């Protein structure tokens, strides 16, 4: 029997997390030969994910360089991938999401006339510069893709509006929910003592992440300043911020939160402690994409510190709120959720607009159906 040779390509932390459940299903599918190639656009933050999910890549392009530019990532990934694709000759190449690795992966596959499956297809903010460069990466990847795995109906509709044929767009749910099921544990014990010592019952623990390129500079200063003021105002509030390894983010965080005893700046957490921390926290403030999907399914209100989002489903479901990047609005919205129990309860509902945890199985089924055609 001819196996379908599927090459999965990924490079950053979120791609790794969302690709891992698909890899696990493919490992148990005898009709598929699964070849894993990482660009390692992220090094440390991706290795954390590989260790947790026990994924051993067949190819590691190791392109990471501190301070890498978008061009450097794209060029180094494209060059490295060409060689691997020519050697592996996959029937299908899978990419996930919207990073520069994703676009380079799709382009490299297209150049070799290899079919492309785009996982998490059809997300659109409507602004090419926000998130930057992700909105462009998604559109560019969409143009090249043969199979569009759309997490939600909204994502499918976006693709239909752009003229993609309906029979190549599959609503699958988001694999982020599949991954979450691996990670969340009752009575989870953290390796980091601080996280065991926090008083989750009597204090309001707020989880913060922020790393978006378009926020670096004044918007990020506004976000952190508003949160810093909130932590100074309320004695029962504590902020936990596992800071992204980007030195530009670190500089702003260290400067603005300096000396505030109720703000804990920590290293990026492994996925398992991170999601369990989210599950125990009171509120999430973030500009991340993945967190906007995880928090609603854990019943945690999310304030999205961005001007627009490509994930409107959490907002429509009432768990997420888009609060922009101005100091006043962020401060006021946080203030309401800390003071007003009714407003908080309105948002703290576990809803799951992003899937049922079976997205990976659906994606693999579709690959089995179309992979050799
Ligand atoms: C990238 C993606 C973004 C995604 C994010 C997830 C692009 C253009 N951006 O953004 O879509 O949301 O990953 O986190 O593809 N660094 C390290 N070690 C690491 C990772 C990063 O030191 O393991 C530092 C380096 O200084 C690096 C900087 O972070 O230069 C930025 O990393 P990069 O991959 O260029 O962009 P992200 O902002 O992480
Ligand atoms: N995450 C993690 N450790 C952290 C912060 C985030 O494991 O310290 C996980 C989080 O659960 C989510 C993913 O990383 O699944 C989100 O990645 P990120 O915010 O870097 O990228 P984005 O989703 O914005 O592309």
């Amino acid at each position: 029997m001819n196996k379908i040779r599927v090459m999965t390509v990924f490079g950053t932390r979120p791609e790794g997390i969302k690709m891992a459940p698909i890899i696990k299903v493919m490992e148990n599918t005898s009709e598929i030969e699964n070849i894993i190639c990482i660009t390692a656009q992220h090094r440390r933050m991706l290795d954390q994910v590989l260790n947790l999910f026990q994924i051993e890549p067949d190819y590691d392009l190791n392109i990471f360089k501190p301070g890498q530019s978008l061009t450097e990532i794209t060029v180094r990934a494209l060059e490295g991938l060409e060689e691997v694709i020519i050697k592996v000759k996959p029937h299908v190449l899978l990419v996930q999401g919207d990073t520069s690795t994703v676009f380079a992966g799709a382009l490299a596959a297209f150049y070799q006339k290899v079919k492309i499956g785009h996982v998490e297809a059809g997300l659109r903010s409507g602004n090419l510069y926000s998130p930057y460069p992700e909105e462009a990466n998604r559109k560019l990847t969409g143009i090249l893709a043969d199979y569009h795995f759309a997490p939600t109906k909204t994502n499918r509709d976006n693709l239909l509006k752009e003229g993609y044929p309906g029979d190549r767009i599959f609503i699958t749910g988001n694999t982020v929910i599949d991954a979450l099921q691996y990670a969340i544990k009752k009575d989870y014990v953290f390796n980091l003592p601080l996280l065991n010592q926090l008083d989750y019952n009597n204090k309001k623990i707020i989880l913060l992440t922020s790393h978006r390129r378009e926020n670096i500079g004044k918007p990020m200063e506004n976000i952190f300043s508003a949160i810093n003021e909130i932590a100074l105002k309320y004695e029962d509030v504590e902020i936990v911020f596992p800071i992204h390894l980007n030195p530009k983010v670190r500089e702003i965080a260290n400067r603005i939160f300096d000396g505030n005893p109720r703000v804990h700046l920590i290293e990026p957490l492994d996925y398992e402690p991170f999601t369990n921390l989210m599950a125990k926290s009171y509120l999430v403030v973030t500009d991340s994409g993945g967190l906007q999907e995880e928090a609603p399914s854990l019943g945690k209100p999310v304030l999205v510190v961005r001007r627009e989002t490509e994930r409107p489903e959490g907002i429509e479901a009432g768990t997420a709120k888009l609060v922009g990047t101005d100091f006043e609005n962020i401060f006021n919205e946080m203030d309401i959720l800390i003071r007003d129990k009714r407003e908080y309860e309105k948002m703290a509902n576990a809803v799951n607009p992003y899937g049922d945890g079976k997205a990976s199985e659906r994606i693999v089924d579709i690959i089995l159906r179309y992979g050799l055609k």
Side-chain angles (χ1 to χ4, degrees), residues 12-14 17-18 42 45 48-49 98-99 134 176 180 209 211-212 242-244 267-272 274-275 278 286-291 293-294 306 311:
T12 66
R13 170 172 68 190
I17 291 167
K18 291 170 170 180
H42 283 174
M45 283 158 58
Q48 287 181 311
V49 179
D98 53 21
T99 69
E134 291 82 1
V176 75
L180 206 51
T209 81
H211 70 84
R212 296 246 80 81
I243 320 182
H244 190 287
E267 289 299 299
L269 289 166
D270 284 356
Y271 177 65
E272 206 173 57
F274 182 79
T275 47
M278 197 187 319
T286 191
D287 63 11
S288 156
L291 267 76
E293 297 153 348
E294 291 161 343
R306 291 197 194 175
R311 293 167 168 92

Side-chain angles (χ1 to χ4, degrees), residues 11-15 41-47 64-70 73 98-102 131-134 137 211-213 216 244-249 287-289:
T12 66
R13 170 172 68 190
E15 293 163 66
Q41 171 181 336
H42 283 174
R43 186 74 270 176
R44 206 168 110 201
M45 283 158 58
L46 180 65
D47 290 342
F64 173 76
K65 267 193 196 164
Q68 56 204 0
S69 70
L70 296 176
I73 300 169
D98 53 21
T99 69
S100 294
T101 285
V102 175
Y132 170 84
E134 291 82 1
N137 284 341
H211 70 84
R212 296 246 80 81
R213 272 170 201 256
I216 291 172
H244 190 287
L245 291 176
N246 190 334
K248 292 180 186 154
V249 176
D287 63 11
S288 156

Side-chain angles (χ1 to χ4, degrees), residues 50 58 116 124 158 237 312 323 346:
L50 298 176
D58 300 284
I116 298 157
R124 298 288 186 267
N158 289 339
V237 163
V323 297
K346 265 205 261 172

